[in-house]
Amino acid sequence: MRPWPFAVQEGARMSEKARSPVASSRAASSLFAAPMTGRPPTRPPSRPPARPGTWPLLAAKLAVAPLPEGIVVGRDRLWERLDAGVRGRITLVSAPAGWGKTVLLASWCRADRPTGGRSTAWLTIEPGDHGPRFWRYLTAALRGVTAGNEGVVDAVAGPAPVGHDRRRLEALAAELACRSEPVVLVLDDAHRILDDRHRADAPGLFADLDFLSRHAGDRLRLVLATRTDPLPTLPRWRLDGELTEIRASDLAFTVEEAAELLSVHGIRLPADQVAALCAGTEGWAAGLRFAALALRGHPEPTRLVAAFGGDDPSVAAYLTGEVLAALPRQVQDALVRAAMTEQVSGGLLDALTGRADGAHLLAEAARTTGFVIPVDARPDHYRCHRMLRDLLSARLRSLPDDERLDLHQRAAQWYARHDRPLPALRHALTAGNDELARTLLRDHWADLVPYRPARQGTTLTVPASPPPPPPHELAADPELALAYAVEHLNRPDPAAALGYLTVAADDGHGHRLGDGRRDWLAAACAALRLACHQLATEAHQLATEAAGPRRDTDRLLDTDQLLALAGTVPPA
């Protein structure tokens, strides 16, 4: 296995750069007087004297990012993707903060392995790297692979931005095209280019990079590590057929990789707990690293794994600083309100916030953070990454009670208007809107009885249970008790559902209900009791039997069969 050292603290990398020596541009170029035959420099050189009249370069920006010692995880599958990617023109490593992009590329560059004759240059981009500053650093990075033609490279590093003088860019492309072997240029934190979008030249930098890579023949291979996609050029790169994309889903740790990461931290957990931790973090590298640090010396690791989430202080601080801080306050507030639902659409967000631009807000949050994720099955719906939703939910709980109840009321009414009876029922019960809950139960009875539980291994996230009303209210309102039974049955929690069914089926309700409602209530209770039994049986079978095809006779009865067994249907 190739080693993959892992580090989460990108801030540590930045602080390392802040302490790096400063060199003049001419002195920095002398560091690369000989051609590189594989890996770029891995440490900044000693500080040479600055030359008057030149602006200084930070040599550490031109060296591969440092890696922590003693934290090594093998990830051959990603190294192989990079090896394959640099055989084409563009490799894009695009994922939100904390997915390990920089460390993956740094370990790949540092590895002692055949490079196929490639030479490699590295540039870390930071805020303010635009225009002439960007190109001066880029050409300094390339000097190590263009020895003997520094005049051509120096021409690009003149005082005017390259975009204002295409001849300089053409000269560099021509010089690269004459090389006998390809050059790999790694641009780390490439999203910083678009972070300066208030500058007119920011999007143009990606266009100029595209021009450079296209006109350098096949001698320049770009590797971009970024938190956001380079939108102006990405579609054309895809159409060219020479783009390799490595995204968060690729960077996500597998259960085996997560176990190895925990192991190098001295943590040994049972396989089911590793799987639970991996699922809870969605394989997010930073989340797993924070979990490993929290587990060190913890007296009850099982309890910590069960409780670990985005509201952990270390995780919350990271997400707040690296993800939410980039969003305007009103967008953060909207996402807090959206956290009360598992998935949110633009229309639902408008209903929760009173805004009229929910769809645009969600699309922009998805593009800029990567932690707001489009839902494949519902193109107009989004969800938050679990760790971010944990943090947002903690903020939601801090809102005043009346504000939270109003949000549940709004959600219930929106779901009811859009024929989503189950979430409407849940939010109605939580908001204390008993009348809406009864209406939903009567009008959507067939849609509310569950068909079957999730298969073993299926991830199912269910909102918190609505708070139960006082026992005397349930005893006086059998339909309300039935609504709570349906809600718990859909979790599924058959034991709790049976408790509510016992209350709903009490013989004392007969004198309060007319004949039609009394017969319907009895039928509904019978059908739900049968569903409870079948759900419990099916769940037990799924937990104990080996995975494989199941007989049709093992399936739960559908809703019409349940009602037929009960002998009636809900009253119109």
Side-chain angles (χ1 to χ4, degrees), residues 16-32:
E16 182 70 21
K17 297 168 188 168
R19 295 192 295 271
S20 64
V22 177
S24 70
S25 58
R26 181 60 57 86
S29 68
S30 68
L31 299 172
F32 307 99

Side-chain angles (χ1 to χ4, degrees), residues 125-432:
I125 301 171
E126 298 183 31
D129 287 348
H130 47 69
R133 178 181 176 85
F134 170 81
W135 289 103
R136 190 172 292 275
Y137 270 109
L138 183 141
T139 53
L142 288 176
R143 277 194 176 94
V145 292
T146 55
N149 282 297
E150 286 84 355
V152 175
V153 178
D154 285 340
V156 185
V162 172
H164 295 178
D165 189 350
R166 183 54 64 89
R167 291 175 299 178
R168 293 175 179 170
L169 197 57
E170 291 172 349
L172 180 57
E175 193 276 329
L176 289 170
C178 292
R179 289 183 52 80
S180 59
E181 71 280 338
V183 179
V184 175
L185 175 60
V186 178
L187 298 180
D188 190 28
D189 287 341
H191 58 276
R192 300 293 189 190
I193 296 175
L194 289 180
D195 282 351
D196 290 318
R197 62 169 57 90
H198 63 281
R199 296 186 56 88
D201 62 337
L205 291 181
F206 274 120
D208 285 340
L209 284 170
D210 178 59
F211 177 92
L212 185 63
S213 68
R214 283 187 291 113
H215 291 281
D218 63 349
R219 302 293 90 179
L220 180 63
R221 316 290 172 82
L222 290 178
V223 179
L224 307 179
T226 176
R227 294 184 182 181
T228 57
D229 288 346
L231 293 179
T233 51
L234 185 59
R236 183 164 66 242
W237 291 348
R238 284 176 175 152
L239 285 175
D240 286 346
E242 294 188 76
L243 173 66
T244 296
E245 299 182 62
I246 298 177
R247 296 194 170 272
S249 58
D250 305 303
L251 294 168
F253 273 60
T254 65
V255 174
E256 293 76 16
E257 291 168 342
E260 188 175 354
L261 177 63
L262 293 171
S263 177
V264 299
H265 284 81
I267 308 298
R268 300 289 190 276
L269 291 178
D272 61 334
Q273 292 185 29
V274 175
L277 192 59
C278 206
T281 59
E282 298 192 42
W284 182 42
L288 289 167
R289 164 81 161 139
F290 282 126
L293 295 174
L295 283 164
R296 280 180 173 172
H298 196 280
E300 298 181 76
T302 300
R303 184 174 62 82
L304 189 147
V305 168
F308 186 79
D311 52 354
D312 173 85
S314 296
V315 178
Y318 186 87
L319 289 173
T320 298
E322 296 291 335
V323 178
L324 294 179
L327 301 175
R329 187 66 195 182
Q330 62 269 26
V331 175
Q332 295 186 40
D333 291 341
L335 291 179
V336 168
R337 283 151 180 77
M340 66 184 307
T341 64
E342 179 70 14
Q343 299 177 4
V344 63
S345 66
L348 176 54
L349 188 62
D350 289 341
L352 294 173
T353 63
R355 302 174 66 100
D357 61 345
H360 175 73
L361 183 152
L362 290 169
E364 277 298 293
R367 188 185 68 81
T368 58
T369 72
F371 279 82
V372 177
I373 305 167
V375 177
D376 291 338
R378 294 174 173 268
D380 58 337
H381 282 62
Y382 296 81
R383 70 175 182 89
C384 286
H385 186 280
R386 288 187 180 185
M387 304 295 275
L388 179 61
R389 187 166 181 240
D390 288 343
L391 174 59
L392 296 174
S393 296
R395 293 188 179 185
L396 179 66
R397 290 191 294 271
S398 69
L399 296 179
D401 290 348
D402 58 345
E403 187 172 349
R404 283 187 287 112
L405 290 177
D406 178 64
L407 289 172
H408 284 291
Q409 184 80 269
R410 292 173 180 232
Q413 293 170 349
W414 187 89
Y415 280 122
R417 289 196 304 270
H418 289 81
D419 296 322
R420 302 280 301 280
L422 180 56
L425 178 66
R426 284 177 173 150
H427 287 288
L429 292 173
T430 304

